[in-house]
Amino acid sequence: MTRNSDPLFNLADALSEDIVAAPADVLVHDAGSDPDGRAGLVGAFDRIAARAAAQSRRQRIVERLRTLLHGLPAPVGWTSAMAGVAGIFVLGIVTGMHFHQADLQIAAAPPRVLAERLTDKADEPIAGARTSYAENRSARADPDTQSNRAATPAAAPAAPPPAPTAAPPVATLAPPPAPSVAAGAADEAKPVRTFDVRPDTAPPARAARRASPELQPRAEDRVAALAMAEEQKRLDPAPVSRATALAPEAPKVASRPALAASRADSPPAFHWPARGRVVAGFGSDVGGAPNNGIDLAVPAGTDIRAAEEGVVLYTGNEIKSLGNLILLSHRDDFITAYGHAKSFQVKAGDTVRRGQVIAKSGQTGTAKAPQLHFEIRKDTTPVDPAQYLPPG
Amino acid sequence: MTTVSTIGISTTGPEPAAAILSPAEAGAAIRSLADADKVALLKVARLYAKKTPYDHEDLLQEAICRVLSCKRAWPRDLAPLPFLWGVVRSIAWEWRKETPDAPPDLGDPEGEERRAIASLDVAKIIALFDDDPAAQIIVRGMMEGARGQELQDLSGLDKTDYESKRTKIRRRVEKLWA
């Protein structure tokens, strides 16, 4: 660590070195006497990591959408964005440009699909990623193993690590030393902790969803824009956002990441938001465009219930065709939309349970009869609710 | 990696892994952390958060978020704990509450206040070891930036006693700042 003139920072450096170098069993033992306890500390870390992951995902989506839209003449709506991309595509064909097949598919896709694909690439599923680090760490918890740790070649990386020049503070950290160095070093020589993460391939579920017919843009795609805007508001990635970027996470108990941490291993289990006949299915022609969700015929004033626990992202009527609209944000980046409501029973920022009444049904927007327009979106891409709802 | 044989046939071998982890790999590595490492990172964040206006959860969240957002490149061969420690440290340095080195400036009451608070914090930690002069010497040395053999020489202790003192210091300070 680099010395500096701040005594407390120097002290933090020195003690951190001790913490990082401490054997696993000592750390775990010490954690037992911590006010939060071992389980409390580990749980706190998991919650923080879940919040950070959700924050990072949302930031990446927003940034990619921004990047995408910056390439188009401003101001643009979604419809004009589609037209712009399609125009470029047609021009390319006419002038004899040769697209690679995959590029062609992407070029022809509407921005929301492109954004989703870009997100998928950066957020490649990792459930199957293997790591030997935790195993190494567990093995080291054994006192015998620890005593031999410095001299155990298996604990050292296979190759000397590169100088971490990309991250200045990291550069001050001694990279994992070779065993011979570790054995002969002075008391400051730190134990080697290695890990091996291997990239994995996308799980079939996501690929299957991606293979479903892409929908053409329509007015309701503003749901996606609206959701993004609300997410962006919550994140506030502005330059002055150091405090504010943290602030939106303040309701930690009720926040989306906290929900993500609660049952991260299982996908959301959506329930029907109301009982009623499906009058327009997913992808069906609604006013010349495919339906991004399903429409249920329900009497006016019927309770509309949250399909899954989540946080209210938006309540309002800015999308004229959908009338009074509620957006709920769920874990695993799912969003549900409830349109044509008569009145709201919740407000933005509220945490809702599955089955909680969030609105009363109505006939707002362009609905010709009392009905509920219900959508499920993964990130901002509409998915067929039938895939997620129990048989009705 | 593509190689061309002497008979002109190209063979394609496995592509070399990127030098840095992808966001997905970084996420997997973070999720795979052992409990001890999670505890260690929380404790490290607690230590550094004392120098920032934010709490340790904010500090750690920001660190993980930057890693997952690729704002901080994670060299493939760097283990998670040292790497994340470095990220936490650099963010703490970025966010730190500046303690002015210059003499008190009557026109800067805020700076003077920060200086006074910092002095109090230092005094509080030194006072923690009033019952153990050797530990106090080590703490002072740590605060001045001394490390390793230099610090041990300063304490005048043998290696075993010195390590024992460091553990004691760490536990007491952690308790104070928990």
Side-chain angles (χ1 to χ4, degrees):
Chain A
M1 284 295 162
T2 309
R3 294 185 187 194
N4 59 65
S5 59
D6 190 321
L8 292 180
F9 213 95
N10 280 334
L11 182 65
D13 278 348
L15 297 179
S16 294
E17 284 175 13
D18 288 353
I19 290 170
V20 171
D25 60 341
V26 170
L27 281 172
V28 170
H29 176 266
D30 285 357
S33 58
D34 190 274
D36 293 335
R38 176 188 172 183
L41 289 173
V42 172
F45 182 93
D46 290 341
R47 284 195 302 277
I48 293 165
R51 284 203 300 272
Q55 183 180 348
S56 162
R57 271 197 302 274
R58 292 190 299 247
Q59 281 180 354
R60 286 204 303 271
I61 292 169
V62 169
E63 282 167 12
R64 283 182 184 117
L65 274 177
R66 276 182 177 167
T67 305
L68 189 69
L69 293 175
H70 280 170
L72 298 169
V76 292
W78 284 102
T79 307
S80 53
M82 304 306 130
V85 172
I88 292 167
F89 173 70
V90 170
L91 188 63
I93 295 295
V94 168
T95 54
M97 289 173 65
H98 297 285
F99 290 97
H100 184 277
Q101 181 65 19
D103 294 336
L104 189 146
Q105 288 173 355
I106 290 176
R112 63 178 172 75
V113 174
L114 182 52
E116 192 264 350
R117 286 178 178 174
L118 289 170
T119 304
D120 284 348
K121 282 187 178 178
D123 195 19
E124 208 60 48
I126 47 183
R130 288 180 294 173
T131 174
S132 61
Y133 179 58
E135 292 166 10
N136 289 347
R137 187 69 199 233
S138 301
R140 287 193 200 108
D142 181 275
D144 295 336
T145 312
Q146 282 172 30
S147 64
N148 296 325
R149 180 170 54 188
T152 305
T165 50
V170 177
T172 62
L173 299 170
S180 58
V181 175
D187 59 306
E188 285 294 299
K190 303 307 174 194
V192 180
R193 295 178 182 179
T194 64
F195 79 118
D196 175 25
V197 177
R198 302 177 189 182
D200 212 331
T201 53
R206 184 185 285 261
R209 282 203 299 278
R210 203 182 297 168
S212 64
E214 303 291 3
L215 298 177
Q216 292 305 309
R218 55 176 295 201
E220 278 71 15
D221 271 337
R222 280 178 289 173
V223 170
L226 200 55
M228 293 307 306
E230 293 303 317
E231 288 283 279
Q232 194 174 350
K233 272 186 207 170
R234 286 159 62 90
L235 283 170
D236 190 11
V240 291
S241 66
R242 189 175 75 200
T244 51
L246 300 167
E249 302 293 343
K252 288 170 181 170
V253 174
S255 68
R256 172 174 164 180
L259 294 167
S262 65
R263 287 185 298 150
D265 294 337
S266 59
F270 294 105
H271 282 199
W272 287 88
R275 283 184 174 277
R277 187 168 52 89
V278 177
V279 292
F282 181 74
S284 63
D285 188 357
V286 179
N291 194 349
N292 282 343
I294 55 175
D295 295 332
L296 299 169
V298 289
T302 302
D303 288 343
I304 299 174
R305 298 177 184 276
E308 169 63 306
E309 65 180 359
V311 176
V312 181
L313 201 59
Y314 169 83
T315 57
N317 58 1
E318 291 171 50
I319 299 178
K320 299 301 177 195
S321 59
L322 291 180
N324 289 331
L325 173 71
I326 297 179
L327 299 179
L328 299 186
S329 171
H330 309 282
R331 62 200 161 84
D332 292 350
D333 298 314
F334 279 96
I335 291 171
T336 52
Y338 311 75
H340 306 308
K342 178 182 176 185
S343 60
F344 302 127
Q345 307 284 307
V346 291
K347 62 182 185 306
D350 285 356
T351 302
V352 296
R353 303 179 313 278
R354 182 196 302 147
Q356 179 179 334
V357 176
I358 56 173
K360 297 289 185 184
S361 65
Q363 193 183 337
T364 55
T366 55
K368 293 182 172 59
Q371 62 180 255
L372 167 64
H373 175 79
F374 175 64
E375 291 182 17
I376 299 179
R377 289 178 179 244
K378 173 68 175 169
D379 293 324
T380 54
T381 305
V383 295
D384 186 356
Q387 293 179 5
Y388 296 91
L389 293 170
Chain B
M1 182 185 299
T2 302
T3 57
V4 179
S5 72
T6 52
I7 56 173
I9 298 174
S10 295
T11 56
T12 302
E15 290 292 331
I20 60 168
L21 296 189
S22 69
E25 290 172 320
I30 290 169
R31 280 198 298 277
S32 303
L33 285 174
D35 283 359
D37 290 338
K38 293 176 181 178
V39 168
L41 282 168
L42 266 174
K43 288 185 169 192
V44 165
R46 275 182 186 168
L47 291 175
Y48 285 113
K50 287 292 166 189
K51 285 301 300 174
T52 77
Y54 304 99
D55 72 14
H56 66 283
E57 291 202 2
D58 292 336
L59 184 58
L60 193 53
Q61 180 176 333
E62 181 68 13
I64 296 172
C65 184
R66 286 190 190 186
V67 171
L68 296 179
S69 305
C70 291
K71 291 174 185 166
R72 292 298 302 260
W74 185 338
R76 185 168 292 278
D77 293 328
L78 198 53
L81 191 51
F83 171 68
L84 290 169
W85 166 29
V87 178
V88 166
R89 183 183 186 275
S90 72
I91 295 171
W93 183 254
E94 183 187 316
W95 289 1
R96 74 191 184 283
K97 293 175 280 191
E98 291 278 11
T99 305
D101 296 324
D105 179 357
L106 292 177
D108 182 17
E110 199 176 308
E112 179 58 20
E113 186 184 335
R114 285 199 301 270
R115 172 194 288 276
I117 291 170
S119 300
L120 275 176
D121 285 341
V122 169
K124 201 185 291 181
I125 290 166
I126 298 288
L128 263 185
F129 301 97
D130 279 345
D131 62 334
D132 190 341
Q136 211 166 44
I137 288 170
I138 296 173
V139 168
R140 286 182 190 277
M142 286 175 168
M143 287 180 168
E144 288 166 10
R147 293 287 184 276
Q149 193 62 43
E150 180 188 2
L151 203 50
Q152 186 184 335
D153 293 345
L154 202 63
S155 69
L157 300 172
D158 62 33
K159 187 175 178 184
T160 308
D161 288 343
Y162 170 70
E163 291 292 353
S164 166
K165 289 289 179 204
R166 283 192 73 135
T167 304
K168 177 180 178 179
I169 291 167
R170 176 172 63 79
R171 286 176 175 161
R172 279 200 189 177
V173 174
E174 278 179 7
K175 195 173 175 184
L176 176 71
W177 284 355

